[in-house]
Amino acid sequence: MACCFPSAIMPPKNAKPNLSHSQVSEIVKRLYRLTASVIQSLPSYDDQNFYVAPSEGGEYILKIMNSEDSKNTLLIEVQTYTMSFLQQNGIPAQTALPNTSGERMSLEEIDCGFGSQKYLVRLLTYLPGTTISKVPLTPQLLYEMGKTAAKMDTVIKKMKHPHLHVLEREGFKWSLSNVALLEDYLYVLDGEPLLEVVKSVIQGYKSSVDPKRSSFRKCVNHGDFNDLNVLVQPNDKEGYRITGILDFGDMNSGYYIHELAITVMYMMIEHPKPIEVGGPVLAGWESVLPLNEVEKDCLYLLVLSRFCQSLVLGRYSLTLQPENEEYLMISSRKGVNILQQLWELGKEQVEKLWFETAAQLSDKSERQEQTRS
């Protein structure tokens, strides 16, 4: 069971729901006609999640959105539809159960101790497994991460929905199309040596990535394909297979190369030798969707840009919620050293390692396929 990753700027105070177990039991009974025999609170950044095991059988996650995000009903509707679409197309995503009215989400007025507010409620399928953050990141598992991320985006690309326009999310701070917005928050790094690196990355993005965006291939990004949002289980070969993808709250219209950069960045955070991550993830990605030359040229700066987003926006959230320092700084604390290392090694050296390793792994994978056939 994964906790939500802090990848959106915090909602206003008191927006986060705070339901009691008795309120959860009542909602599950009224909306889904299920009797909750087991209710367990799960960690969450700005929503409220519960593991629910009804006496009728089955396992579920009850998700209560914060009151601020609950206003974006069309966005949540598209996210919920996407999860079902992925599941129907062989990608292991959670799906929302229909309630007694046949709807997959419900806007409920609930008093959590600071007056009645409206919260979007969904009952999601429970996916077994452990987060990928808790298992060894072998080259094979990193390859599978890249392959799964690419498959996921190519499936979503085929999806039709009347409200896909809500995924444009102009001004969304976590989109890799909006790296320049970080300049408004750089004061949180005042006096720190890393500030100059972050400024240089943003400048590099503006001069060397932004002008080339017209050559990127468009898609819809999951946007937060991180080590806490991917579940794995042991396979037959002493390794692991991906069994679940969680948290579609950061979905946005973007580009395939953005998803790859995000995946590489978050896998680097969990790896003992971060620099070695890019090759296997890239090889897995290109087994589904080979990059074009412009996308290849921009990958290094996009990975660094995601590190900068995590660092700067994580620090900013900390100024708003200092009591949650440990939780808010999960990635940015580890990311500081990796960002510094990537910057010092430079684009040419990092790309050489990533692309050469990816080519070797691709050749090996092709030989294995030929042997099987």
Side-chain angles (χ1 to χ4, degrees):
M1 300 172 212
C3 61
C4 297
F5 194 79
S7 58
I9 298 301
M10 282 175 32
K13 193 176 180 182
N14 292 342
K16 181 172 179 174
N18 186 29
L19 275 71
S20 65
H21 282 207
S22 62
Q23 286 174 306
V24 170
S25 184
E26 185 275 328
I27 283 174
V28 169
K29 187 71 175 176
R30 177 168 52 83
L31 293 181
Y32 301 96
R33 296 199 181 109
L34 295 172
T35 306
S37 56
V38 178
I39 299 172
Q40 293 174 0
S41 296
L42 302 175
S44 179
Y45 177 56
D46 50 18
D47 303 319
Q48 200 176 14
N49 299 328
F50 293 93
Y51 168 83
V52 177
S55 55
E56 293 85 353
E59 296 176 286
Y60 304 99
I61 303 294
L62 185 73
K63 187 171 189 71
I64 301 103
M65 303 290 294
N66 68 78
S67 59
E68 196 65 21
D69 287 342
S70 291
K71 296 171 184 174
N72 300 323
T73 51
L74 282 183
L75 181 61
I76 309 301
E77 181 188 322
V78 173
Q79 291 167 3
T80 305
Y81 181 83
T82 302
M83 291 152 65
S84 294
F85 187 80
L86 286 169
Q87 180 67 31
Q88 290 161 13
N89 285 274
I91 306 290
Q94 287 177 297
T95 55
L97 271 70
N99 57 29
T100 52
S101 305
E103 302 294 330
R104 295 186 185 273
M105 59 188 210
S106 169
L107 195 59
E108 299 293 314
E109 196 161 314
I110 306 168
D111 190 341
C112 295
F114 26 79
S116 286
Q117 296 195 64
K118 290 181 179 178
Y119 304 98
L120 268 175
V121 174
R122 290 174 292 171
L123 190 66
L124 306 175
T125 50
Y126 171 79
L127 298 178
T130 185
T131 57
I132 201 169
S133 62
K134 295 180 180 174
V135 304
L137 290 177
T138 61
Q140 183 55 41
L141 188 53
L142 290 170
Y143 183 96
E144 287 303 314
M145 276 294 289
K147 186 175 181 179
T148 302
K151 276 186 177 177
M152 173 178 64
D153 279 13
T154 54
V155 168
I156 297 174
K157 177 81 169 172
K158 299 171 189 169
M159 187 177 78
K160 301 278 193 294
H161 192 280
H163 301 303
L164 282 178
H165 63 275
V166 299
L167 296 176
E168 293 297 333
R169 302 183 77 170
E170 191 176 339
F172 182 48
K173 296 176 183 67
W174 283 88
S175 167
L176 274 172
S177 295
N178 293 327
V179 173
L181 295 180
L182 292 179
E183 291 177 327
D184 294 339
Y185 300 92
L186 289 182
Y187 64 88
V188 299
L189 297 179
D190 279 351
E192 296 195 29
L194 202 65
L195 176 59
E196 291 310 311
V197 173
V198 173
K199 282 182 176 178
S200 298
V201 171
I202 295 171
Q203 188 52 47
Y205 172 91
K206 287 161 71 172
S207 61
S208 302
V209 176
D210 225 6
K212 298 174 184 173
R213 203 187 302 166
S214 60
S215 297
F216 295 169
R217 288 164 296 171
K218 290 183 178 180
C219 69
V220 170
N221 295 141
H222 175 282
D224 199 14
F225 204 58
N226 72 57
D227 47 306
L228 296 178
N229 285 339
V230 178
L231 300 177
V232 295
Q233 285 185 296
N235 63 17
D236 315 346
K237 303 170 185 171
E238 299 183 356
Y240 290 87
R241 60 190 175 89
I242 294 170
T243 55
I245 299 169
L246 310 175
D247 194 358
F248 286 76
D250 279 2
M251 274 181 69
N252 65 94
S253 296
Y255 303 90
Y256 287 117
I257 189 64
H258 287 183
E259 197 83 86
L260 174 58
I262 290 166
T263 306
V264 169
M265 176 268 182
Y266 284 122
M267 292 304 100
M268 290 180 83
I269 282 172
E270 290 301 326
H271 201 279
K273 295 180 178 176
I275 194 68
E276 295 179 6
V277 162
V281 175
L282 176 60
W285 179 280
E286 290 206 295
S287 73
V288 176
L289 194 73
L291 301 183
N292 65 37
E293 289 306 311
V294 177
E295 290 166 338
K296 285 181 180 179
D297 186 51
C298 293
L299 180 59
Y300 168 79
L301 270 172
L302 283 167
V303 171
L304 266 63
S305 295
R306 185 59 170 199
F307 273 110
C308 291
Q309 286 180 321
S310 174
L311 175 65
V312 174
L313 297 179
R315 291 285 178 90
Y316 172 70
S317 293
L318 185 59
T319 65
L320 304 178
Q321 204 176 33
E323 68 277 10
N324 279 348
E325 178 175 3
E326 184 179 352
Y327 190 67
L328 290 170
M329 300 301 286
I330 291 171
S331 73
S332 61
R333 189 179 289 115
K334 293 178 181 177
V336 167
N337 294 332
I338 304 172
L339 175 59
Q340 188 78 46
Q341 182 191 12
L342 285 172
W343 183 251
E344 288 172 1
L345 285 170
K347 181 176 186 287
E348 188 177 338
Q349 192 172 337
V350 172
E351 283 183 346
K352 186 173 188 291
L353 176 63
W354 286 355
F355 290 114
E356 285 182 0
T357 305
Q360 291 164 7
L361 287 170
S362 297
D363 290 344
K364 182 180 175 184
S365 180
E366 282 177 22
R367 287 196 299 271
Q368 287 173 341
E369 286 296 325
Q370 288 167 359
T371 305
R372 287 193 199 102
S373 56

